[in-house]
Amino acid sequence: MLRGQVSFEEESQKQPAVGHWKPLMPSKGNKEELETGCQDAGGVGETQSTEQLNVSRLRSSSVEIREKGSEFLKDELHKAQKELKLKDKECERLSKVREQLEQELEELTASLFEEAHKMVREANTKQAAAEKQLREARGKIDMLQAEVTALKTLVITSTPSSPNRELHPQLQSPSKAGFRKGHGRNKSTSSAMVSAARQNVSPEPVTRECREVDSILFAEFEAWKESPTLDKSCSFLDRIYREDIGPCLDFTKQELSELVRVAVEQNTLTIEPVASQTLPVVKVAAEECGGPKKCALSGLPRTCKHRIMLGDSGNYYYISPSCRARITAVCNFFTYIRYIQQGLVRQDVELMYWEVMRLRREMSLAKLGFYPSEM
């Protein structure tokens, strides 16, 4: 019994603990806690969905911005390409205009040079004809002056006491007078006139110059004309250097001759006339530069009417007329071949060849000592 009571008491003591169990229905406070928890859970979900929505919007907006930016850049690129094409067309048009102007300028320059050469040749021809006429007129004047002098001599020697029967044919015997018909010129007068004419007038036979193209020289010139150059290693210029330029510029003063040759090749030589009052303007010894009475190239006493300067050295060298003629002939040759090299001579190849041969003949005559009197 005691055991039963004890167990019953123990069970009865344990039953009040059942009153502390939580009820199945939540209380008011629990409701609020549950609603707050639900709200917190719902807020977090809504925040996450809002952030995802914002991210998706940002992504879509960035894609749109990229697409619009790419379209804008494409439009700008197309515009720039169109502008470049227009500018390229304008550059091509301007380059064509420039090429046309340059070609017209070259043609005009060539025609002007050709016309200038033609005028120079015509002037030289007219000058030669005028000089020939002048020589003939002087010969006639000298002949007439000799005849007048002879007639005066005969008139003076004829006096009333001893008349000259040649001047008065009526005083001659009829037998001698019968051979004379009309007016007879005194024999002494005729002989004096003829002798004067022979002394003063040298006969100039009228000859027509004949010429024939040398096949070797013409072939060398044609080969040089295909690619004109001033390099003397080519066969055309090598021959002219050996046969004409070298001998023409070979003076007694070898060092100065070499300097003159280099200056002529480089087109830096200056020739100017010398006034009678001009004194030598030199920086070296006077015997090297010559003087108005001594040629600096030949070293001989000559009347020097011209002087040369090599480049910008400021040193003047007095030269004789013969040396000037030789230097001038070589300079004329180099000037003409430079014109050909620059394309300023628009002539047939054969005409250019004969002009070169004429210039070579001038160099040959100059090196032999022939030069015009006006030198």
Side-chain angles (χ1 to χ4, degrees):
M1 291 296 293
L2 291 171
R3 290 181 180 178
Q5 291 178 355
V6 171
S7 61
F8 178 77
E9 288 177 357
E10 288 177 355
E11 288 176 0
S12 62
Q13 288 177 357
K14 292 179 180 178
Q15 285 179 356
V18 177
H20 294 283
W21 290 353
K22 293 182 180 180
L24 292 175
M25 294 300 294
S27 63
K28 185 176 181 180
N30 291 332
K31 278 184 179 182
E32 290 177 358
E33 289 176 359
L34 288 173
E35 287 176 359
T36 304
C38 291
Q39 287 179 0
D40 291 339
V44 172
E46 289 178 359
T47 303
Q48 290 180 353
S49 62
T50 304
E51 288 178 356
Q52 291 178 355
L53 182 62
N54 291 332
V55 170
S56 62
R57 287 179 180 177
L58 287 174
R59 287 179 181 176
S60 61
S61 63
S62 63
V63 171
E64 291 177 357
I65 290 171
R66 286 180 183 177
E67 291 177 353
K68 291 182 179 180
S70 62
E71 290 178 356
F72 176 78
L73 291 176
K74 287 180 180 178
D75 293 336
E76 292 295 325
L77 180 61
H78 287 307
K79 289 180 182 179
Q81 289 177 349
K82 289 181 180 179
E83 290 178 358
L84 286 175
K85 288 181 180 179
L86 293 175
K87 289 182 179 180
D88 289 337
K89 291 181 180 179
E90 185 68 17
C91 289
E92 290 178 357
R93 187 183 68 81
L94 292 176
S95 63
K96 289 180 180 179
V97 172
R98 185 185 65 182
E99 291 175 356
Q100 184 178 2
L101 290 176
E102 288 177 352
Q103 185 177 2
E104 291 178 356
L105 181 61
E106 289 179 358
E107 292 177 354
L108 179 61
T109 306
S111 62
L112 289 175
F113 274 107
E114 186 176 354
E115 188 68 23
H117 279 288
K118 183 179 179 181
M119 293 173 64
V120 169
R121 287 194 297 269
E122 291 177 356
N124 291 334
T125 304
K126 291 180 180 179
Q127 183 179 0
E131 289 176 356
K132 184 178 179 181
Q133 292 179 358
L134 179 61
R135 288 195 298 269
E136 292 176 353
R138 286 178 177 175
K140 291 180 180 179
I141 290 172
D142 293 336
M143 185 175 62
L144 293 174
Q145 286 179 351
E147 187 174 0
V148 169
T149 302
L151 289 173
K152 286 182 179 180
T153 303
L154 291 175
V155 170
I156 291 173
T157 56
S158 177
T159 60
S161 59
S162 58
N164 193 326
R165 295 181 181 276
E166 294 292 335
L167 292 176
H168 304 281
Q170 67 274 12
L171 298 178
Q172 296 180 1
S173 60
S175 59
K176 293 182 180 180
F179 292 99
R180 304 178 66 88
K181 294 181 180 180
H183 177 71
R185 178 174 292 177
N186 186 279
K187 189 182 293 185
S188 61
T189 306
S190 300
S191 62
M193 179 186 67
V194 172
S195 62
R198 287 178 179 176
Q199 293 175 359
N200 293 283
V201 179
S202 59
E204 294 183 0
V206 179
T207 58
R208 184 177 180 181
E209 185 180 23
C210 298
R211 58 188 185 182
E212 182 179 355
V213 175
D214 185 275
S215 59
I216 298 177
L217 298 179
F218 188 72
E220 291 177 351
F221 177 73
E222 277 189 320
W224 176 84
K225 178 66 175 60
E226 293 298 326
S227 58
T229 177
L230 296 180
D231 186 8
K232 55 186 177 183
S233 61
C234 64
S235 57
F236 169 68
L237 287 180
D238 179 63
R239 180 188 294 274
I240 296 177
Y241 265 92
R242 285 186 288 103
E243 297 178 359
D244 300 313
I245 297 175
C248 200
L249 296 180
D250 185 16
F251 301 103
T252 305
K253 304 293 183 179
Q254 294 294 327
E255 295 182 0
L256 184 58
S257 300
E258 183 65 20
L259 294 176
V260 169
R261 184 186 61 80
V262 173
V264 171
E265 291 175 351
Q266 296 177 355
N267 198 20
T268 58
L269 185 139
T270 304
I271 302 177
E272 62 181 27
V274 179
S276 58
Q277 303 87 354
T278 304
L279 296 175
V281 180
V282 295
K283 296 181 181 179
V284 294
E287 58 269 18
E288 294 181 3
C289 295
K293 297 295 182 182
K294 185 179 180 181
C295 179
L297 289 171
S298 64
L300 299 175
R302 295 287 187 269
T303 301
C304 301
K305 299 179 181 179
H306 293 81
R307 62 183 183 178
I308 60 174
M309 183 175 67
L310 309 178
D312 298 330
S313 62
N315 297 336
Y316 288 96
Y317 301 90
Y318 288 79
I319 58 174
S320 62
S322 175
C323 295
R324 179 192 174 229
R326 293 165 67 172
I327 295 173
T328 303
V330 178
C331 289
N332 291 337
F333 171 77
F334 273 105
T335 300
Y336 188 69
I337 64 172
R338 285 193 187 99
Y339 287 163
I340 296 176
Q341 184 190 21
Q342 296 170 4
L344 300 177
V345 182
R346 304 292 179 85
Q347 289 181 340
D348 187 62
V349 179
E350 187 172 352
L351 293 177
M352 288 190 283
Y353 166 79
W354 281 117
E355 181 65 18
V356 170
M357 293 301 108
R358 185 187 69 80
L359 295 171
R360 290 189 64 184
R361 181 173 63 179
E362 287 185 0
M363 287 190 286
S364 299
L365 291 175
K367 73 183 177 183
L368 293 175
F370 295 97
Y371 61 91
S373 58
E374 62 268 14
M375 285 286 186

